[in-house]
Amino acid sequence: MLTGPARWRANHGPTSGQDASARRAVNGHPRELPDLPSTWSAFGHELAGLRAAKRLTQREVAGASDGQISKSSLQRYEQGEPLPWEKAAVLDSIYACRGWVTAGVAHLAAASWKWRPGTAGTFFVHRWPAEVSGWVWIAVLPEPRAADQPHALLLRWGPWSRQVREPLPAAGLALCTGKDADGDGRAAPCHVTSNRRVSVLFGVHRPPPELRAIDIRDGWT
């Protein structure tokens, strides 16, 4: 059975590959979900709204997280404390919000994204929440001295692979593709390998507007 990017491609057809059309397409997001936040305070407010929509108490969410999020920490996140990246998928699963929490964290992280040697590398692994269906993206930031130089990237996602060779702008490049929900509830890991040291962000729905975006739905093998 087709999974990951190839199944999305099969369901939604080929693309033109033009940056402009990709930008128009990936700027959409489900209308019933909140808009992506511009501040951590707004993000916390929306987190509380998602919990209220599920009619859950903070204590119940903490219990459903299997010890990954405490009641007191959830209270702080809802009051505007930044939510750690590794906690986002936990809340996405509990609130069944198709990756909105992950998208919000990535959106806010991108606003202050800059080169940090300690977080850079040549190999990264990520799992989007199993219930996510729609646009997903991988943002790649080059080392300052390597800006605008070609980078060779290899993406491996489940049984599929995709090569990307592009010059990376100093502000970063968003690689946009699609994902269907994983029917068995198990999210396949996406591996990103680069020939140069880079920093990477993973997100869902629309990528940060500051980034140039390219559509990579075609070309998976």
Side-chain angles (χ1 to χ4, degrees):
M1 183 176 67
L2 292 175
T3 59
R7 186 170 64 186
W8 170 272
R9 181 182 60 194
N11 289 348
H12 297 269
T15 66
S16 66
Q18 297 297 315
D19 285 357
S21 63
R23 170 61 67 189
R24 287 194 296 270
V26 299
N27 272 345
H29 59 93
R31 291 186 177 181
E32 65 270 21
L33 292 177
D35 287 338
L36 294 179
S38 58
T39 66
W40 284 109
S41 178
F43 178 77
H45 177 77
E46 298 296 355
L47 271 187
L50 289 172
R51 177 175 58 78
K54 288 292 183 181
R55 298 182 179 179
L56 295 172
T57 66
Q58 291 175 340
R59 188 179 301 279
E60 288 170 332
V61 172
S65 76
D66 294 327
Q68 297 183 71
I69 299 176
S70 67
K71 176 181 177 293
S72 59
S73 62
L74 179 60
Q75 184 178 37
R76 294 195 302 272
Y77 302 146
E78 291 184 356
Q79 291 174 345
E81 180 177 305
L83 175 69
W85 175 263
E86 64 273 13
K87 308 293 186 183
V90 178
L91 293 179
D92 273 327
S93 178
I94 294 171
Y95 298 151
C97 54
R98 298 201 302 277
W100 183 90
V101 179
T102 298
V105 171
H107 182 74
L108 289 166
S112 59
W113 196 26
K114 61 182 180 180
W115 177 260
R116 293 184 177 90
T119 63
T122 58
F123 181 73
F124 304 84
V125 181
H126 179 71
R127 293 176 188 264
W128 283 282
E131 66 272 14
V132 167
S133 177
W135 284 99
V136 297
W137 52 266
I138 303 165
V140 188
L141 184 72
E143 189 173 6
R145 64 183 179 181
D148 299 317
Q149 297 183 22
H151 285 63
L153 306 170
L154 175 62
L155 315 180
R156 294 188 182 277
W157 192 0
W160 306 97
S161 64
R162 174 70 153 84
Q163 293 186 358
V164 177
R165 185 174 178 82
E166 289 279 341
L168 297 186
L173 178 70
L175 310 175
C176 305
T177 188
K179 177 186 180 298
D180 272 342
D182 298 289
D184 59 4
R186 294 181 296 178
C190 179
H191 302 83
V192 178
T193 304
S194 172
N195 68 327
R196 298 173 182 266
R197 283 171 57 81
V198 294
S199 288
V200 173
L201 283 178
F202 298 87
V204 301
H205 306 322
R206 54 186 176 183
E210 299 83 5
L211 302 181
R212 174 178 166 239
I214 62 172
D215 186 334
I216 62 165
R217 282 179 290 176
D218 289 332
W220 293 86
T221 58

